[in-house]
Short mmCIF file of all heavy atoms in Angstrom, two decimals:
data_model
loop_
_atom_site.label_atom_id
_atom_site.label_comp_id
_atom_site.label_asym_id
_atom_site.label_seq_id
_atom_site.Cartn_x
_atom_site.Cartn_y
_atom_site.Cartn_z
N SER A 116 -0.61 -6.48 -2.99
CA SER A 116 -0.69 -5.03 -3.16
C SER A 116 -2.12 -4.60 -3.57
O SER A 116 -2.82 -5.33 -4.21
CB SER A 116 0.30 -4.59 -4.23
OG SER A 116 -0.12 -4.89 -5.52
N ALA A 117 -2.41 -3.39 -3.19
CA ALA A 117 -3.69 -2.81 -3.60
C ALA A 117 -3.80 -2.70 -5.09
O ALA A 117 -4.86 -2.86 -5.70
CB ALA A 117 -3.85 -1.41 -2.95
N PHE A 118 -2.66 -2.44 -5.76
CA PHE A 118 -2.65 -2.33 -7.21
C PHE A 118 -3.04 -3.67 -7.85
O PHE A 118 -3.86 -3.69 -8.77
CB PHE A 118 -1.24 -1.91 -7.69
CG PHE A 118 -1.15 -1.81 -9.20
CD1 PHE A 118 -1.73 -0.75 -9.86
CD2 PHE A 118 -0.51 -2.79 -9.91
CE1 PHE A 118 -1.66 -0.68 -11.25
CE2 PHE A 118 -0.39 -2.70 -11.28
CZ PHE A 118 -1.00 -1.64 -11.96
N ILE A 119 -2.47 -4.75 -7.38
CA ILE A 119 -2.76 -6.08 -7.95
C ILE A 119 -4.24 -6.39 -7.73
O ILE A 119 -4.93 -6.85 -8.63
CB ILE A 119 -1.86 -7.16 -7.32
CG1 ILE A 119 -0.46 -6.99 -7.84
CG2 ILE A 119 -2.38 -8.56 -7.64
CD1 ILE A 119 0.58 -7.84 -7.15
N CYS A 120 -4.72 -6.12 -6.52
CA CYS A 120 -6.11 -6.37 -6.21
C CYS A 120 -7.04 -5.59 -7.12
O CYS A 120 -8.00 -6.14 -7.71
CB CYS A 120 -6.42 -6.04 -4.77
SG CYS A 120 -8.09 -6.42 -4.26
N SER A 121 -6.81 -4.27 -7.26
CA SER A 121 -7.69 -3.45 -8.11
C SER A 121 -7.62 -3.79 -9.55
O SER A 121 -8.63 -3.80 -10.25
CB SER A 121 -7.41 -1.96 -7.87
OG SER A 121 -6.12 -1.63 -8.27
N CYS A 122 -6.43 -4.11 -10.04
CA CYS A 122 -6.27 -4.50 -11.43
C CYS A 122 -7.02 -5.80 -11.71
O CYS A 122 -7.73 -5.97 -12.67
CB CYS A 122 -4.83 -4.66 -11.83
SG CYS A 122 -3.93 -3.13 -12.03
N GLY A 123 -6.85 -6.78 -10.79
CA GLY A 123 -7.52 -8.05 -10.93
C GLY A 123 -9.04 -7.90 -10.95
O GLY A 123 -9.76 -8.46 -11.75
N LEU A 124 -9.55 -7.10 -10.03
CA LEU A 124 -10.98 -6.89 -9.95
C LEU A 124 -11.57 -6.16 -11.17
O LEU A 124 -12.67 -6.44 -11.57
CB LEU A 124 -11.36 -6.12 -8.68
CG LEU A 124 -11.21 -6.92 -7.36
CD1 LEU A 124 -11.40 -5.99 -6.19
CD2 LEU A 124 -12.22 -8.05 -7.30
N SER A 125 -10.79 -5.24 -11.73
CA SER A 125 -11.31 -4.46 -12.84
C SER A 125 -11.19 -5.22 -14.19
O SER A 125 -11.95 -5.00 -15.06
CB SER A 125 -10.63 -3.13 -12.95
OG SER A 125 -9.25 -3.35 -13.31
N CYS A 126 -10.21 -6.12 -14.29
CA CYS A 126 -9.97 -6.81 -15.55
C CYS A 126 -10.69 -8.12 -15.70
O CYS A 126 -10.78 -8.70 -16.77
CB CYS A 126 -8.46 -7.03 -15.74
SG CYS A 126 -7.49 -5.52 -15.78
N HIS A 127 -11.19 -8.67 -14.62
CA HIS A 127 -11.79 -9.98 -14.64
C HIS A 127 -13.30 -9.85 -14.69
O HIS A 127 -13.88 -9.06 -13.95
CB HIS A 127 -11.35 -10.77 -13.43
CG HIS A 127 -11.49 -12.27 -13.61
ND1 HIS A 127 -12.70 -12.90 -13.52
CD2 HIS A 127 -10.55 -13.22 -13.93
CE1 HIS A 127 -12.49 -14.19 -13.73
NE2 HIS A 127 -11.22 -14.39 -13.99
N SER A 128 -13.98 -10.65 -15.50
CA SER A 128 -15.40 -10.52 -15.61
C SER A 128 -16.13 -11.11 -14.40
O SER A 128 -17.24 -10.74 -14.09
CB SER A 128 -15.89 -11.26 -16.90
OG SER A 128 -15.50 -12.61 -16.86
N ASN A 129 -15.47 -12.05 -13.68
CA ASN A 129 -16.12 -12.64 -12.51
C ASN A 129 -15.42 -12.13 -11.27
O ASN A 129 -14.40 -12.64 -10.86
CB ASN A 129 -16.06 -14.18 -12.62
CG ASN A 129 -16.90 -14.81 -11.51
OD1 ASN A 129 -17.08 -14.27 -10.43
ND2 ASN A 129 -17.43 -16.01 -11.81
N VAL A 130 -15.98 -11.12 -10.63
CA VAL A 130 -15.36 -10.48 -9.48
C VAL A 130 -15.23 -11.45 -8.31
O VAL A 130 -14.27 -11.41 -7.58
CB VAL A 130 -16.18 -9.23 -9.05
CG1 VAL A 130 -15.65 -8.66 -7.76
CG2 VAL A 130 -16.14 -8.19 -10.17
N THR A 131 -16.16 -12.35 -8.16
CA THR A 131 -16.08 -13.32 -7.07
C THR A 131 -14.83 -14.19 -7.17
O THR A 131 -14.15 -14.42 -6.18
CB THR A 131 -17.32 -14.24 -7.08
OG1 THR A 131 -18.51 -13.36 -6.97
CG2 THR A 131 -17.33 -15.18 -5.89
N ILE A 132 -14.51 -14.64 -8.36
CA ILE A 132 -13.34 -15.46 -8.56
C ILE A 132 -12.06 -14.72 -8.22
O ILE A 132 -11.23 -15.19 -7.48
CB ILE A 132 -13.27 -16.00 -10.05
CG1 ILE A 132 -14.37 -17.03 -10.24
CG2 ILE A 132 -11.89 -16.62 -10.32
CD1 ILE A 132 -14.53 -17.49 -11.68
N ILE A 133 -11.91 -13.47 -8.72
CA ILE A 133 -10.68 -12.74 -8.50
C ILE A 133 -10.58 -12.35 -7.01
O ILE A 133 -9.48 -12.35 -6.44
CB ILE A 133 -10.52 -11.49 -9.41
CG1 ILE A 133 -9.09 -11.00 -9.44
CG2 ILE A 133 -11.47 -10.39 -9.03
CD1 ILE A 133 -8.08 -11.95 -10.00
N ALA A 134 -11.70 -12.09 -6.32
CA ALA A 134 -11.63 -11.79 -4.90
C ALA A 134 -11.17 -12.99 -4.11
O ALA A 134 -10.34 -12.87 -3.20
CB ALA A 134 -13.01 -11.35 -4.41
N LYS A 135 -11.66 -14.17 -4.48
CA LYS A 135 -11.24 -15.40 -3.79
C LYS A 135 -9.75 -15.67 -4.05
O LYS A 135 -9.01 -16.06 -3.15
CB LYS A 135 -12.09 -16.57 -4.24
CG LYS A 135 -13.48 -16.56 -3.64
CD LYS A 135 -14.27 -17.73 -4.04
CE LYS A 135 -15.68 -17.69 -3.40
NZ LYS A 135 -16.50 -18.82 -3.79
N VAL A 136 -9.32 -15.45 -5.28
CA VAL A 136 -7.87 -15.69 -5.62
C VAL A 136 -7.02 -14.70 -4.82
O VAL A 136 -5.99 -15.11 -4.23
CB VAL A 136 -7.66 -15.53 -7.13
CG1 VAL A 136 -6.13 -15.46 -7.45
CG2 VAL A 136 -8.28 -16.66 -7.90
N SER A 137 -7.43 -13.46 -4.75
CA SER A 137 -6.64 -12.44 -3.99
C SER A 137 -6.64 -12.84 -2.50
O SER A 137 -5.60 -12.71 -1.85
CB SER A 137 -7.28 -11.05 -4.14
OG SER A 137 -7.22 -10.65 -5.47
N GLN A 138 -7.73 -13.27 -2.00
CA GLN A 138 -7.80 -13.67 -0.58
C GLN A 138 -6.88 -14.87 -0.31
O GLN A 138 -6.15 -14.85 0.68
CB GLN A 138 -9.22 -14.04 -0.21
CG GLN A 138 -9.40 -14.38 1.27
CD GLN A 138 -10.84 -14.74 1.57
OE1 GLN A 138 -11.60 -15.12 0.72
NE2 GLN A 138 -11.22 -14.57 2.84
N HIS A 139 -6.92 -15.86 -1.18
CA HIS A 139 -6.06 -17.02 -1.01
C HIS A 139 -4.58 -16.65 -1.09
O HIS A 139 -3.73 -17.21 -0.37
CB HIS A 139 -6.41 -18.14 -1.98
CG HIS A 139 -7.71 -18.77 -1.70
ND1 HIS A 139 -7.93 -19.50 -0.54
CD2 HIS A 139 -8.87 -18.79 -2.36
CE1 HIS A 139 -9.20 -19.95 -0.52
NE2 HIS A 139 -9.77 -19.51 -1.62
N ARG A 140 -4.23 -15.73 -2.00
CA ARG A 140 -2.81 -15.34 -2.16
C ARG A 140 -2.34 -14.60 -0.90
O ARG A 140 -1.26 -14.80 -0.40
CB ARG A 140 -2.64 -14.41 -3.36
CG ARG A 140 -2.67 -15.17 -4.66
CD ARG A 140 -2.38 -14.23 -5.79
NE ARG A 140 -2.39 -14.98 -7.04
CZ ARG A 140 -2.31 -14.42 -8.22
NH1 ARG A 140 -2.17 -13.12 -8.33
NH2 ARG A 140 -2.31 -15.16 -9.33
N ALA A 141 -3.22 -13.74 -0.37
CA ALA A 141 -2.88 -13.02 0.86
C ALA A 141 -2.71 -13.98 2.01
O ALA A 141 -1.75 -13.88 2.82
CB ALA A 141 -3.94 -11.97 1.19
N PHE A 142 -3.60 -14.95 2.13
CA PHE A 142 -3.49 -15.94 3.21
C PHE A 142 -2.23 -16.79 3.08
O PHE A 142 -1.52 -17.00 4.04
CB PHE A 142 -4.72 -16.85 3.17
CG PHE A 142 -4.72 -17.86 4.31
CD1 PHE A 142 -5.10 -17.48 5.57
CD2 PHE A 142 -4.34 -19.17 4.05
CE1 PHE A 142 -5.08 -18.40 6.62
CE2 PHE A 142 -4.33 -20.07 5.11
CZ PHE A 142 -4.70 -19.74 6.36
N ALA A 143 -1.91 -17.20 1.82
CA ALA A 143 -0.69 -17.97 1.62
C ALA A 143 0.54 -17.18 2.00
O ALA A 143 1.45 -17.72 2.64
CB ALA A 143 -0.65 -18.44 0.17
N ALA A 144 0.60 -15.90 1.59
CA ALA A 144 1.74 -15.07 1.91
C ALA A 144 1.85 -14.91 3.43
O ALA A 144 2.96 -14.95 3.99
CB ALA A 144 1.59 -13.73 1.28
N PHE A 145 0.72 -14.72 4.10
CA PHE A 145 0.75 -14.55 5.56
C PHE A 145 1.24 -15.80 6.29
O PHE A 145 2.10 -15.75 7.14
CB PHE A 145 -0.64 -14.15 6.07
CG PHE A 145 -0.68 -13.90 7.56
CD1 PHE A 145 -0.39 -12.63 8.04
CD2 PHE A 145 -1.03 -14.88 8.43
CE1 PHE A 145 -0.42 -12.38 9.39
CE2 PHE A 145 -1.05 -14.64 9.80
CZ PHE A 145 -0.74 -13.40 10.27
N THR A 146 0.71 -16.95 5.88
CA THR A 146 1.11 -18.18 6.58
C THR A 146 2.52 -18.60 6.23
O THR A 146 3.11 -19.41 6.98
CB THR A 146 0.09 -19.31 6.32
OG1 THR A 146 -0.06 -19.46 4.89
CG2 THR A 146 -1.25 -19.03 6.91
N ASN A 147 3.10 -18.10 5.16
CA ASN A 147 4.49 -18.38 4.87
C ASN A 147 5.42 -17.59 5.80
O ASN A 147 6.57 -17.99 6.08
CB ASN A 147 4.86 -17.98 3.43
CG ASN A 147 4.42 -19.05 2.45
OD1 ASN A 147 4.26 -20.21 2.82
ND2 ASN A 147 4.24 -18.66 1.23
N ILE A 148 4.92 -16.46 6.32
CA ILE A 148 5.71 -15.66 7.25
C ILE A 148 5.49 -16.06 8.68
O ILE A 148 6.44 -16.13 9.48
CB ILE A 148 5.31 -14.14 7.05
CG1 ILE A 148 5.66 -13.69 5.65
CG2 ILE A 148 6.06 -13.26 8.09
CD1 ILE A 148 5.10 -12.31 5.29
N TYR A 149 4.24 -16.31 9.05
CA TYR A 149 3.90 -16.58 10.46
C TYR A 149 3.43 -18.05 10.59
O TYR A 149 2.93 -18.60 9.68
CB TYR A 149 2.78 -15.64 10.92
CG TYR A 149 3.21 -14.20 10.83
CD1 TYR A 149 2.71 -13.40 9.79
CD2 TYR A 149 4.07 -13.60 11.74
CE1 TYR A 149 3.10 -12.07 9.68
CE2 TYR A 149 4.47 -12.30 11.66
CZ TYR A 149 3.97 -11.54 10.60
OH TYR A 149 4.35 -10.21 10.49
N TRP A 150 3.56 -18.56 11.75
CA TRP A 150 3.21 -19.93 12.03
C TRP A 150 1.72 -20.15 12.29
O TRP A 150 1.24 -21.28 12.25
CB TRP A 150 4.00 -20.50 13.19
CG TRP A 150 3.78 -19.72 14.46
CD1 TRP A 150 4.48 -18.66 14.90
CD2 TRP A 150 2.79 -19.92 15.44
NE1 TRP A 150 3.99 -18.18 16.06
CE2 TRP A 150 2.93 -18.94 16.45
CE3 TRP A 150 1.75 -20.86 15.59
CZ2 TRP A 150 2.11 -18.86 17.54
CZ3 TRP A 150 0.96 -20.78 16.72
CH2 TRP A 150 1.11 -19.82 17.67
N PHE A 151 0.98 -19.09 12.55
CA PHE A 151 -0.44 -19.24 12.89
C PHE A 151 -1.31 -18.79 11.72
O PHE A 151 -0.91 -18.06 10.83
CB PHE A 151 -0.79 -18.45 14.12
CG PHE A 151 -0.44 -17.01 14.08
CD1 PHE A 151 -1.35 -16.06 13.62
CD2 PHE A 151 0.78 -16.58 14.56
CE1 PHE A 151 -0.99 -14.74 13.55
CE2 PHE A 151 1.12 -15.25 14.51
CZ PHE A 151 0.24 -14.31 14.01
N ASP A 152 -2.56 -19.20 11.72
CA ASP A 152 -3.54 -18.80 10.70
C ASP A 152 -4.11 -17.44 11.07
O ASP A 152 -4.15 -17.05 12.23
CB ASP A 152 -4.70 -19.80 10.65
CG ASP A 152 -4.30 -21.11 10.04
OD1 ASP A 152 -3.21 -21.19 9.45
OD2 ASP A 152 -5.08 -22.08 10.20
#
Side-chain angles (χ1 to χ4, degrees):
S116 76
F118 178 76
I119 290 170
C120 182
S121 62
C122 286
L124 287 171
S125 67
C126 298
H127 202 282
S128 60
N129 189 330
V130 173
T131 303
I132 290 173
I133 197 65
K135 285 182 180 179
V136 168
S137 297
Q138 182 181 25
H139 288 296
R140 284 185 180 173
F142 182 79
F145 183 86
T146 54
N147 280 337
I148 297 169
Y149 301 103
W150 59 269
F151 56 89
D152 290 345

